[in-house]
RNA sequence: GCUCAAGUGGCGGAAUUGGUAGACGCGCUGGAUUCAAAAUCCAGUUUCUUCGGAAGUGUGGGUUCGAUUCCCACCUUGAGUACCA
């Protein structure tokens, strides 16, 4: 009988689906294990071979854990809101829901034929109203919460109102907007309801605020900072400009410290943690306030400049101050003489886009305001400048400039001829600043002379606090996250506006479903696409959506026109899988108490500062609300590397329609043109006729070939993408070699975390391994497995494989496992092993990797239940180390043999080793030698 | 610039409490089978070699009986970040 993989795979995929083999129960005597993948966005292009890499790894692990006796939750779903479906809708008028539905069908078909053990009964889709009901609900929960710094957790807004009623806001320590006015209980009571609502909005964890946002005119929407790469939009590469808009924001900054601390408690990759740390950007230092020396313009008011510094110890080296051009004091303190120059400078910088400003870091610009501030200790006047190297958005938008201790201040001072006093002992600052704080000894600084950074900092902060001119302060780079998008295809906010103030729709009336619109573009008046909806008003009496014409602003009000960003739905899906069909609660208490959190999460590192940070934030919030038992949602995370495409480039002479083979290029100016990879063979030769037919503009092209008539292309690894013509489709691979081959090969390609190019040629190796495996069980006469007693060699191979397999999979070294199987099959073949006692447990080892062939052979051996229910074979060391049993050698003792070596040591080797061991011990006068290293045939070394 | 990761045959890659470097696969070479091809099987495949050996894990040092592994400096590549005071 032959190995007919297509038939076998279709058969078992159907059986698994029919029997619901992988359906997980929310209760069990077994320990639980939750394996999660980052759910896909179902794009129109379908899957390419790079997409399933992480899914294959997690599937192997999930199947392995089932064999190990765990109740495994391994769900899958779709992140189905998103821009491409909307863009397609704008172009074609097709409703995004229809496009999305089609794409999901393609995805499901492709995923199914790879043989994943997903529990599809728990599928979620972020665009499904039954799902986004709960996304909206979490939004409303955030709206009804504030962050209490004293208890360091989110609390109910009702508690805050109670405090305001009892004692005003004087003692409240909250994460809130920074323009809070103080009020007493009496004042609070006297405020109008509107004023009270406005104040509360400044405290809520999600709030409306006029913010400077990243506006992308080409997309008609705003983007969060993590959606912008090098000053252009991540999707599409459109220019980004700053614009002030009223937007919903998430007060993630309240959680900055906990998001940082939490990293210590989770087993995530170090580079990814590092990225999150940098993104949160904690810096410890002090805030210092400098009094502005009154001038004729400002003598009526006294101004203070607040600065943040991480180097309070260098305060005596401050020879000037710098404000960001956008700083509010700029116009107030500028003197008459300098006004013209300052205005011109502010005007010029505001015109420069963010991108220009970033690209042009080297050029030093700035202008003197004419004003002076008073140094808090020396009382000397120091000039106040403005310069665009100071960012309005970080710290206070102002700095005390210490040219001798900071490179940027140094360059600025040098450029404008400002004083550079040296406050470091024994350091030459004539050429550059001395920024090494760990090796600095302070000098010329009054009472901190001779101190190091640590001591001086402490002392300065103490003195500043005494004087009331500063305090120790910690700053975070992490900004609150803008949560509004001017798009159609996203979750609607459960919000309507009464007198311009946001009101939340009660959970009872959710989901608030997306309205139908005629056009998916923004309206002519510049409103978001939902502005096109005609039935989009809220009747607060009947609690339902009604026609816009009924708006009277008494009982019927306009609804929010923005929708939520892509990360809203993906910040809660991992918990929803635990109880996905619950319409009364986001999940039941039993479900969350049973599954707790994700044990293993596999996905790409590109989500480091997006999804993975926001999801941690929501989880911490949910934890504060007592909804989840852990404040981190995923215990362990692995980043799978990307599988790259191997692009092919044909070189064309610049300005001509003549192509020239790679090896023949000398000094022609050439232009590389992407050629479809299917037109190029393994030796990098181009199919010229196919190439001509492929693109009409090349039909008439000339080709300069090698002497043997071949035309060679240049190869390069790039991200797989349609536009680079380097996409390899899994459907073709599966048809030709089978899903089991694809699964094995993707794992065999290299370490999971690594980026690696796809190369179809190598798949024949794993495919012939499967054929050899099949032949161990079947020959031309049918099943050849016998009831024979296993030989010693058989047992040795089996147990060696079990041992190696477990070591590999515990380290997530999926690639070496495949090699382990290959070695085992080669050994069994050489041993002519047919013993059922060996071949049956061996199948269980293979089954996570190649589940279809394993199921088929398992059935052939007479089992009526799925192999996924079989227990993992028990490893028995005695088959491996028997050869050393009769000798006084312990494995973890002073004499060391590795397991592998012990297998192949002869009796003579071991006797020689024991002798050498004893002899050395004698020489050392009874002390145990540290190590005796033995390899077959010789003693390598003895270490005393 | 800063932070992090990685450099091993023709290729993908194995080997880490320091102990046989190159497992396993691809490719290549030779052979068997075949009218032939595909498929399959067997043998070989780091380099040099006077066939005894010698050298060898980016480069140069160091520690060690012993270094792909540890330390220092440098080079290269990739990723992240970018005036964060």
């Amino acid at each position: 009988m032959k190995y007919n993989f297509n038939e076998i795979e279709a058969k078992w995929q159907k059986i698994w689906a029919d029997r619901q083999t992988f359906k997980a129960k929310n209760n069990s005597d077994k320990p639980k294990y939750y394996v999660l993948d980052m759910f896909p966005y179902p794009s129109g292009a379908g899957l390419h071979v790079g997409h399933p890499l992480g899914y294959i790894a997690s599937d192997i692990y999930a199947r392995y854990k089932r064999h190990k006796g765990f109740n495994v939750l391994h769900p899958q779903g779709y992140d189905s809101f998103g821009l491409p479906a909307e863009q397609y809708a704008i172009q074609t008028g097709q409703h995004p829901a229809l496009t999305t539905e089609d794409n999901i069908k393609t995805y499901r078909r492709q995923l199914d034929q790879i043989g994943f053990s997903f529990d599809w009964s728990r599928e979620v889709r972020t665009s499904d109203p039954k799902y986004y009901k709960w996304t909206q609900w979490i939004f409303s929960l955030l709206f009804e919460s504030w962050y209490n710094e004293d208890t360091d957790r989110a609390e109910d807004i009702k508690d805050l109102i109670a405090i305001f009623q009892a004692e005003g806001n004087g003692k409240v320590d909250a994460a809130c907007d920074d323009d809070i006015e103080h009020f007493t209980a009496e004042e609070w009571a006297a405020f109008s309801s509107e004023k009270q609502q406005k104040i509360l909005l400044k405290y809520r964890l999600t709030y409306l605020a006029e913010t400077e946002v990243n506006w992308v005119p080409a997309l008609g929407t705003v983007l969060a900072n993590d959606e912008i790469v090098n000053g252009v939009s991540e999707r599409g590469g459109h220019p980004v400009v700053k614009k002030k808009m009223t937007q919903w924001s998430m007060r993630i900054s309240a959680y900055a410290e906990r998001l940082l601390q939490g990293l210590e408690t989770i087993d995530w990759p170090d580079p990814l943690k590092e990225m999150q740390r940098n993104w949160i950007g904690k810096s410890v230092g002090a805030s210092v306030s400098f009094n502005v020396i009154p001038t004729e313009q400002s003598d009526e008011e006294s101004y203070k400049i607040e600065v943040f510094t991480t180097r309070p110890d260098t305060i005596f080296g401050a020879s000037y101050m710098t404000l960001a051009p956008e700083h509010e004091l700029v116009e107030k303190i500028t003197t008459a003489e300098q006004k013209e120059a300052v205005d011109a400078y502010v005007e010029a910088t505001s015109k420069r886009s963010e991108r220009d400003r970033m690209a042009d870091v080297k050029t030093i610009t700035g202008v003197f305001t004419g004003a002076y501030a008073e140094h808090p200790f020396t009382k000397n006047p120091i000039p106040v400048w403005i310069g665009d190297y100071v960012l309005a958005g970080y710290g206070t938008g102002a700095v005390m400039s210490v040219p001798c201790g900071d490179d940027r201040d140094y360059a600025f001072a040098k450029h404008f001829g400002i004083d550079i006093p040296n406050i470091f002992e024994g350091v030459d600052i004539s050429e550059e600043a001395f920024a090494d704080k760990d090796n600095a000894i302070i000098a010329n600084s009054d009472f901190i002379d001779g101190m190091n950074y640590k001591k001086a900092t402490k002392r300065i902060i103490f003195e500043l606090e005494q004087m009331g001119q500063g305090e120790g302060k910690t700053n975070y780079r992490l900004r609150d996250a803008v949560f509004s998008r001017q798009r159609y295809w996203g979750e609607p906010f459960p919000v309507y506006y009464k007198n311009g103030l946001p009101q939340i729709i009660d959970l009872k009336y959710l989901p608030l479903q997306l309205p139908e619109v005629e056009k998916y573009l923004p309206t002519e008046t510049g409103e978001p696409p939902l502005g096109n909806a005609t039935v989009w008003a809220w009747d607060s009496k009947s609690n339902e959506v009604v026609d816009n014409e009924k708006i009277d602003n008494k009982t019927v009000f306009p609804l929010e026109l923005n929708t939520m960003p892509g990360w809203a739905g993906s910040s809660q899906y991992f918990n929803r899988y635990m109880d996905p069909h619950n319409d009364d609660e986001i999940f039941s208490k039993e479900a969350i108490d049973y599954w707790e959190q994700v044990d293993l999460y596999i996905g790409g590192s590109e989500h480091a500062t997006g999804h993975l940070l926001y999801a941690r934030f929501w989880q911490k919030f949910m934890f504060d609300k007592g909804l989840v038992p852990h404040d981190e949602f995923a215990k362990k995370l692995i980043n799978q590397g990307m599988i790259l495409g191997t692009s092919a480039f044909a070189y064309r002479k610049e300005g001509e329609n003549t192509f020239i083979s790679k090896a023949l290029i000398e000094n022609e100016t050439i232009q590389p043109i992407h050629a479809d990879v299917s037109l190029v063979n393994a030796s990098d030769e181009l199919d010229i006729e196919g190439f001509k037919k492929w693109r009409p503009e090349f039909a008439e092209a000339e080709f300069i070939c090698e002497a043997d008539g071949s035309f060679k292309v240049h190869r390069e690894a790039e991200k797989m993408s349609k536009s680079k013509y380097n996409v390899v489709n899994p459907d073709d691979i599966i048809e030709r070699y089978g899903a089991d081959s694809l699964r094995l090969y993707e794992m065999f390609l290299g370490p999971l975390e690594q980026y690696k190019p796809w190369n179809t040629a190598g798949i024949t190796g794993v495919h012939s391994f499967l054929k050899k495996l099949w032949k161990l069980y079947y020959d031309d006469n049918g099943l050849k497995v016998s009831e024979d007693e296993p030989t010693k060699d058989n047992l040795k191979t089996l147990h060696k494989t079990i041992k190696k397999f477990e070591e590999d999979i515990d380290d997530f070294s999926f690639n070496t496992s495949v090699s382990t199987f290959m070695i085992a099959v080669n050994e069994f073949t050489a041993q002519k092993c047919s013993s059922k006692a060996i071949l049956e447990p061996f199948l269980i080892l293979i089954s996570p990797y190649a589940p279809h062939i394993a199921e088929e052979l398992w059935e052939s051996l007479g089992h009526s239940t799925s192999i996924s229910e079989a227990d993992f074979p028990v490893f028995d060391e005695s088959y491996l180390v028997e050869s050393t049993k009769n000798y006084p050698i312990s494995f973890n003792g002073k004499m060391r043999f590795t397991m592998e070596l012990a297998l192949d040591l002869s009796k003579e080797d071991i006797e020689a080793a024991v002798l050498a061991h004893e002899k050395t011990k004698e020489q050392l006068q009874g002390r145990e030698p540290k190590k005796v290293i033995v390899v077959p045939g010789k003693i390598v070394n003895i270490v005393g």
Side-chain angles (χ1 to χ4, degrees):
Chain A
M1 241 176 84
K2 276 197 73 175
Y3 169 42
N4 189 340
F5 48 87
N6 292 125
E7 207 171 278
I8 291 169
E9 289 173 1
K11 169 183 164 185
W12 284 100
Q13 283 160 14
K14 184 163 188 309
I15 293 175
W16 292 331
D18 290 349
R19 293 189 196 157
Q20 302 212 17
T21 307
F22 305 111
K23 190 166 175 170
K25 289 206 188 87
N26 276 6
N27 55 67
S28 167
D29 301 337
K30 298 173 180 176
K32 69 97 191 182
Y33 200 88
Y34 183 1
V35 185
L36 180 69
D37 292 299
M38 289 185 185
F39 59 171
Y41 172 78
S43 83
L47 291 175
H48 62 61
V49 290
H51 289 122
L53 179 72
Y55 299 160
I56 293 171
S58 66
D59 193 61
I60 288 168
Y61 205 76
R63 287 173 179 270
Y64 167 68
K65 279 289 180 183
R66 289 194 192 98
H67 288 308
K68 277 288 194 175
F70 288 84
N71 182 31
V72 172
L73 174 58
H74 187 40
Q76 188 58 290
Y78 304 97
D79 188 12
S80 48
F81 272 134
L83 203 49
E86 179 160 336
Q87 299 263 315
Y88 189 73
I90 290 168
Q91 285 159 22
T92 64
Q94 161 124 258
H95 196 288
L98 298 176
T99 318
T100 303
E101 183 66 40
D102 282 352
N103 293 350
I104 286 178
K105 277 195 188 123
T106 307
Y107 262 64
R108 180 62 190 272
R109 182 185 58 76
Q110 288 188 301
L111 289 171
D112 278 349
Q113 59 180 5
I114 301 173
F116 292 123
S117 64
F118 293 129
D119 177 358
W120 283 109
S121 74
R122 292 172 185 260
E123 179 194 303
V124 300
R125 300 176 185 190
T126 54
S127 61
D128 179 352
K130 284 186 168 167
Y131 177 88
Y132 68 66
K133 171 179 179 177
W134 298 105
T135 314
Q136 292 174 335
W137 178 69
I138 294 177
F139 172 84
S140 67
L141 218 54
L142 282 155
F143 185 82
E144 301 295 356
S145 303
W146 65 292
Y147 200 87
N148 187 342
E149 301 272 20
D150 286 335
T151 55
D152 208 15
R153 54 187 285 265
E155 292 179 7
D156 203 305
I157 200 84
K158 289 195 194 90
D159 299 339
L160 185 66
I161 296 170
I163 297 172
F164 288 171
Q165 285 166 348
E167 54 176 47
N169 71 348
K171 289 186 194 155
V172 171
D173 191 5
C176 57
D177 292 6
D178 41 21
D179 58 344
I180 298 282
E181 291 162 36
H182 282 261
F183 52 80
T184 62
E186 292 73 37
E187 285 169 326
W188 172 259
F191 289 153
S192 68
S193 158
E194 264 108 68
K195 172 126 194 198
Q196 290 183 343
Q197 285 189 50
K198 277 184 186 160
I199 291 170
L200 288 174
L201 205 49
K202 293 172 192 284
Y203 286 89
R204 297 179 189 274
L205 279 179
T206 182
Y207 59 97
L208 270 178
E210 171 100 333
T211 37
E212 190 153 271
V213 296
N214 305 301
W215 172 254
V216 185
L219 299 175
T221 191
V222 299
L223 295 178
N225 287 335
D226 66 278
E227 292 168 305
I228 294 165
V229 178
N230 293 329
V232 298
S233 69
E234 190 179 18
R235 276 180 191 272
H238 304 292
V240 179
V241 295
K242 292 280 175 194
K243 188 180 174 184
K244 286 227 167 181
M245 284 179 89
T246 301
Q247 301 276 314
W248 284 103
S249 276
M250 286 280 164
R251 212 180 291 282
I252 187 173
S253 60
Y255 284 86
E257 187 60 31
R258 283 169 65 188
L259 287 168
L260 196 62
Q261 294 303 324
L263 290 173
E264 308 297 326
T265 68
I266 45 180
D267 183 7
W268 287 22
D270 287 330
L272 189 137
K273 287 189 186 180
E274 196 58 29
M275 279 164 73
Q276 291 209 344
R277 278 190 204 105
N278 290 338
W279 194 259
I280 295 166
K282 180 180 183 175
S283 37
V284 180
S287 74
V288 187
S289 99
F290 287 73
N291 295 320
V292 179
I293 299 172
T295 61
E296 65 276 20
Q297 275 78 24
S298 65
D299 52 6
E300 284 165 31
E301 268 187 83
S302 61
Y303 294 111
K304 283 179 175 176
I305 300 174
E306 292 277 340
V307 303
F308 173 74
T309 176
T310 55
R311 296 291 304 274
D313 59 314
T314 64
I315 193 163
F316 284 92
S319 60
Y320 67 100
M321 306 194 64
T322 316
L323 306 181
E326 299 88 345
H327 198 282
E328 54 172 11
L329 284 179
V330 170
E331 56 180 295
K332 292 178 179 154
I333 63 169
T334 302
T335 59
E337 304 88 75
Q338 291 300 106
K339 190 164 181 5
E340 204 176 317
V342 167
D343 285 352
Y345 184 72
V346 171
E347 170 85 20
T349 43
S350 71
K351 273 193 188 148
R352 296 177 77 190
S353 70
E354 188 80 348
R355 194 162 194 213
D356 292 342
R357 232 165 120 167
M358 282 196 324
D360 184 23
V361 172
K362 297 258 151 58
T363 323
I364 296 160
T365 62
V367 60
F368 180 42
T369 61
Y372 290 84
E374 184 189 75
H375 191 286
F377 294 108
T378 65
K379 306 295 178 195
N380 290 335
I382 50 180
V384 180
W385 287 67
I386 58 176
D388 72 352
Y389 80 95
V390 175
L391 303 176
Y394 181 75
T396 60
V399 300
M400 63 173 209
S401 302
V402 183
C404 68
D406 182 280
D407 293 326
R408 290 153 304 163
D409 294 345
Y410 189 91
F412 193 89
K414 244 210 162 139
H415 189 259
F416 290 107
I418 304 169
D419 254 8
I420 306 180
N422 189 356
I423 52 146
F424 299 113
E425 205 173 289
V427 170
D428 175 27
I429 55 148
S430 59
E431 289 302 321
E432 56 178 0
F434 181 72
D436 180 5
K437 69 179 181 198
D438 294 323
N439 294 309
I441 302 292
I442 307 293
N444 303 323
S445 297
D446 199 357
F447 55 88
I448 53 167
D449 279 358
M451 293 187 185
N452 61 16
Y453 157 78
K454 226 175 150 182
K455 262 185 142 170
T457 299
K458 220 172 151 186
R459 180 71 190 275
I460 292 288
I461 291 175
F462 175 79
E463 296 292 338
L464 285 170
E465 282 173 355
Q466 293 295 302
M467 293 158 58
Q469 276 197 269
E471 57 185 348
K473 200 181 171 190
T474 301
N475 236 326
Y476 297 92
R477 205 185 74 125
L478 184 69
R479 299 272 78 103
D480 282 346
V482 176
F483 200 63
S484 295
R485 295 291 183 273
Q486 293 68 46
R487 289 185 197 154
Y488 174 75
W489 194 227
E491 298 87 348
F493 285 82
V495 169
Y496 62 94
Y497 288 90
K498 200 169 169 177
N499 300 325
L501 288 165
Q503 311 295 321
I504 294 285
I505 293 168
D506 195 275
L507 170 65
K508 287 196 287 266
Y509 310 110
L510 299 181
L512 178 68
Q513 296 211 38
L514 258 179
E516 294 302 319
V517 293
E518 289 275 308
K519 286 194 303 180
Y520 302 98
L521 281 168
T523 66
E524 275 158 24
T525 51
E527 285 177 326
L530 293 192
N532 292 316
T534 51
V535 185
W536 195 238
W538 187 255
D539 186 330
S540 61
K541 278 264 156 54
S542 62
N543 287 304
E544 59 185 0
V545 177
V546 295
D547 200 289
N548 291 10
E549 285 171 6
K550 294 191 178 155
I551 293 176
D552 56 10
N553 287 311
K554 291 190 181 83
T555 55
V556 180
F557 301 97
L559 281 157
E560 168 73 54
L561 299 180
N562 287 295
T563 55
M564 298 186 196
W567 57 267
S570 59
S571 294
Q572 63 117 339
Y573 78 112
F574 37 85
N575 289 329
R576 182 67 180 165
Y577 278 137
M578 297 173 184
D579 194 7
H581 307 298
N582 194 332
D583 284 333
D584 303 322
E585 298 168 280
I586 184 165
F587 38 72
S588 69
K589 188 158 168 24
E590 296 78 56
I592 192 83
D593 284 347
Y594 179 72
W595 294 110
E596 297 182 59
Q597 65 187 142
V598 176
D599 292 286
L600 175 66
Y601 193 20
I602 296 186
S605 60
E606 64 272 20
H607 299 106
T609 53
H611 158 62
L612 288 172
L613 197 62
Y614 297 129
R616 291 183 59 221
F617 158 46
W618 276 29
Q619 180 78 2
K620 287 185 188 302
F621 169 70
M622 302 269 282
F623 177 78
D624 287 352
K625 299 302 288 181
L627 292 162
V628 297
H630 297 279
D631 72 345
E632 291 289 348
F633 75 94
K635 230 188 231 177
K636 182 174 176 65
L637 175 87
I638 294 179
N639 290 130
Q640 93 273 19
M642 197 182 288
I643 291 186
L644 303 169
T646 312
S647 299
F649 294 93
Y651 287 127
R652 186 173 66 172
K653 284 192 187 174
E654 187 82 58
E656 297 177 44
N657 207 5
T658 304
F659 287 85
I660 179 161
S661 185
K662 189 190 175 188
L664 300 176
I665 289 166
E666 281 166 6
N667 29 24
E668 294 90 343
T669 27
I670 42 146
Q671 196 187 357
I673 307 266
H674 272 109
D676 195 299
V677 285
S678 63
L679 298 171
V680 179
N681 70 10
S683 324
D684 299 346
E685 288 165 8
L686 181 71
D687 167 7
I688 295 175
E689 288 313 308
F691 185 69
K692 284 180 171 175
K693 274 185 212 144
W694 175 58
R695 297 278 294 275
E697 67 261 45
F698 303 140
E700 302 297 317
E702 299 285 321
F703 289 83
I704 302 174
C705 299
E706 315 267 330
D708 61 1
S710 69
F711 185 93
K712 300 244 165 151
V713 296
H714 174 68
R715 291 283 200 159
E716 220 168 274
E718 293 181 291
K719 204 168 166 178
M720 240 184 226
S721 134
K722 238 176 161 177
S723 64
K724 298 189 172 91
Y725 304 104
N726 60 2
V727 171
V728 181
N729 186 307
D731 302 24
D732 303 340
I733 303 280
I734 288 169
E735 202 194 319
R736 202 141 161 229
Y737 301 100
D740 285 337
S741 291
L742 178 75
R743 293 169 62 105
L744 281 165
Y745 188 54
E746 294 227 353
M747 291 300 102
F748 185 69
L749 223 42
L752 182 60
E753 301 89 339
Q754 202 165 295
Y755 278 56
K756 49 212 170 250
W758 177 266
N759 170 15
T760 304
I763 201 170
T764 52
V766 293
H767 186 61
S768 63
F769 154 74
L770 288 173
K771 286 193 274 190
K772 282 185 213 163
L773 175 73
W774 183 262
K775 280 189 193 161
L776 273 179
Y777 297 78
Y778 276 105
D779 60 16
D780 295 339
N781 306 317
L783 195 69
K784 64 176 199 181
V785 178
S786 69
E787 298 292 334
D788 295 351
E789 279 294 304
T791 67
K792 254 186 170 174
D793 281 345
N794 294 161
L795 286 161
K796 209 171 168 182
T797 300
L798 176 67
H799 287 273
K800 184 175 76 175
T801 307
I802 296 171
K803 176 81 182 162
K804 187 72 177 20
F805 176 88
E806 288 201 71
E807 280 172 7
D808 287 345
I809 204 158
D810 286 341
D811 289 345
F812 300 93
S813 302
F814 297 94
N815 54 331
T816 46
S817 295
V818 181
S819 298
T820 306
F821 296 145
M822 289 178 174
I823 294 166
V825 165
N826 286 341
E827 285 183 13
F828 287 143
T829 306
Q831 291 161 12
K832 299 200 173 10
C833 174
S834 65
S835 167
K836 192 177 173 187
I838 296 291
L839 294 178
E840 194 172 272
F842 185 59
L843 273 184
I844 300 170
L845 294 185
I846 298 273
S847 101
Y849 283 76
H852 308 88
I853 190 173
E855 285 278 23
E856 180 68 18
L857 293 172
W858 186 254
E859 191 187 53
S860 302
L861 294 181
H863 295 277
S864 56
T865 53
S866 166
I867 192 169
S868 62
E869 289 166 40
D871 288 336
F872 199 77
V874 178
F875 168 64
D876 187 340
E877 189 182 82
S878 65
Y879 295 115
L880 303 188
V881 297
E882 203 179 19
S883 56
T884 63
K885 270 280 167 70
N886 303 325
Y887 301 92
I889 300 164
S890 68
F891 269 95
N892 46 6
K894 295 292 186 290
M895 182 179 271
R896 196 188 103 136
F897 294 85
T898 70
M899 194 74 73
E900 284 292 320
L901 292 180
L903 299 174
D904 299 318
L905 290 176
S906 68
K907 207 173 163 188
E908 288 73 27
D909 290 328
I910 294 166
E911 278 168 359
V914 173
L915 210 70
H917 176 255
E918 277 163 9
K919 220 167 150 188
T920 312
K921 196 171 171 178
E922 234 166 76
Q923 281 168 5
L924 294 168
Q925 289 153 356
R927 201 156 52 79
E928 281 285 344
K930 276 187 195 143
K931 275 181 196 170
V932 179
I933 290 125
V934 184
V935 298
K938 60 177 176 181
I939 293 169
V940 171
N941 225 322
I942 300 168
V943 187

